[in-house]
Amino acid sequence: MINCIVIDDEPLARECITNYIGQVDFMTCLGTGISALDIPQLLGDYEVDLLFLDVQMPLMNGLEYLKSNPKPPMTILTTAFPNYAIDGFDLNVLDYLLKPISFNRFFTAATKAKQQMLLLQKENSEVLKEQNVGSFFIKCDGKYEKIFHNEILYVQAMQNYVIFYTDKRKYVSLLSLKCVLEKLNKNAFMQVHKSYIIALDKISGVTQYEIQIGTYKIPLSRNYKKDVLSKILGDNLWNGK
């Protein structure tokens, strides 16, 4: 799912774009604003993938905002004036929609955003694979044992100890789950319960109450369920719509 925000000082223009977003099954609108000055607050409140940004607005226009932010989300510019297109592409915007915006033209831009997201996810996945080749040592059974990141299935806390379950065996060490979570890669591992951390790429099944990794069934806590399901399923869920 592509998380979007819409920034435009014209109410009808905002409504048009938000309605179009609602018609696309791989997009959702998280919020809107009437000025570029609203963007920092929205970026702080939400995890935004795509910004629909009007060019001509009071106080700070869209191009001025992009120049002020070296790392904006993917951006699609919207405006009634085609002469801004070159300036927009110089700022690496994804696309440029000329008002009044037709749904067909909007959908073309939305599809381009989806393709760009998939490309970024592929690049991040490749980086993650490289990171997972790394290893670390823990003290276990009176000696230091080497564990490879890509062999970890999940980690379980048990009183003052943690148990690392791997493809080969399990390792018990005097550590806190909090310490383990801080050291593991946040893109590869996720806490799903007060006593469990899982390796995201090892998941074989998910229900409302547990996660399956091979023959293991790990409880899924209500406090973590929303974030966990969003992270695990995301665009990987084929629901037949």
Side-chain angles (χ1 to χ4, degrees):
M1 187 67 69
I2 301 177
N3 296 327
C4 310
I5 59 173
V6 180
I7 306 297
D8 198 309
D9 62 326
E10 300 176 21
L12 290 178
R14 287 198 309 276
E15 184 179 0
C16 173
I17 295 174
T18 54
N19 285 341
Y20 283 170
I21 291 172
Q23 298 301 312
V24 180
D25 63 1
F26 55 81
M27 299 181 106
T28 185
C29 183
L30 299 180
T32 63
I34 62 174
S35 165
L37 300 178
D38 295 326
I39 298 175
Q41 179 67 47
L42 290 167
L43 294 182
D45 291 342
Y46 304 107
E47 189 170 321
V48 178
D49 302 312
L50 179 61
L51 165 64
F52 287 93
L53 180 62
D54 186 29
V55 174
Q56 289 193 313
M57 293 182 292
L59 299 179
M60 176 184 286
N61 68 42
L63 296 177
E64 290 171 339
Y65 170 76
L66 292 177
K67 291 175 182 177
S68 72
N69 185 352
K71 293 184 178 181
M74 282 192 304
T75 301
I76 295 176
L77 287 179
T78 62
T79 183
F81 303 96
N83 53 300
Y84 288 116
I86 294 177
D87 291 335
F89 286 115
D90 285 343
L91 293 168
N92 295 318
V93 300
L94 182 69
D95 208 340
Y96 185 97
L97 297 178
L98 190 62
K99 300 176 182 178
I101 303 166
S102 70
F103 180 76
N104 285 343
R105 180 65 184 87
F106 175 88
F107 190 74
T108 298
T111 302
K112 186 183 292 186
K114 182 178 181 180
Q115 292 170 342
Q116 182 67 13
M117 281 279 291
L118 292 174
L119 179 62
L120 292 174
Q121 289 172 356
K122 181 179 179 181
E123 291 175 353
N124 290 336
S125 176
E126 290 173 353
V127 171
L128 185 58
K129 287 179 181 177
E130 292 179 3
Q131 292 174 336
N132 275 346
V133 174
S135 62
F136 59 94
F137 286 87
I138 60 169
K139 191 172 184 179
C140 177
D141 296 331
K143 62 180 179 179
Y144 294 102
E145 294 276 4
K146 184 177 184 178
I147 299 178
F148 288 92
H149 289 272
N150 61 355
E151 292 181 350
I152 299 173
L153 303 176
Y154 68 95
V155 185
Q156 178 185 4
M158 189 169 292
Q159 296 181 346
N160 296 326
Y161 294 83
V162 294
I163 306 172
F164 291 86
Y165 289 81
T166 74
D167 295 324
K168 299 175 181 178
R169 51 167 287 197
K170 64 181 182 180
Y171 303 83
V172 181
S173 184
L174 183 60
L175 289 167
S176 70
L177 197 69
K178 180 181 178 182
C179 174
V180 173
L181 186 62
E182 289 174 349
K183 293 182 180 297
L184 290 174
N185 186 303
K186 300 297 186 296
N187 293 318
F189 296 88
M190 189 172 190
Q191 186 167 5
V192 299
H193 184 279
K194 67 178 182 179
S195 300
Y196 291 88
I197 298 169
I198 62 165
L200 294 172
D201 65 345
K202 298 298 194 300
I203 296 169
S204 54
V206 184
T207 72
Q208 290 294 315
Y209 306 104
E210 64 184 22
I211 295 170
Q212 186 166 353
I213 296 179
T215 59
Y216 298 103
K217 293 183 178 180
I218 294 92
L220 175 57
S221 168
R222 182 177 58 184
N223 294 333
Y224 295 94
K225 183 181 297 183
K226 182 178 179 181
D227 290 338
V228 170
L229 293 179
S230 175
K231 181 88 170 182
I232 293 172
L233 300 179
D235 290 334
N236 294 319
L237 177 62
W238 294 13
N239 54 18
K241 290 185 179 180

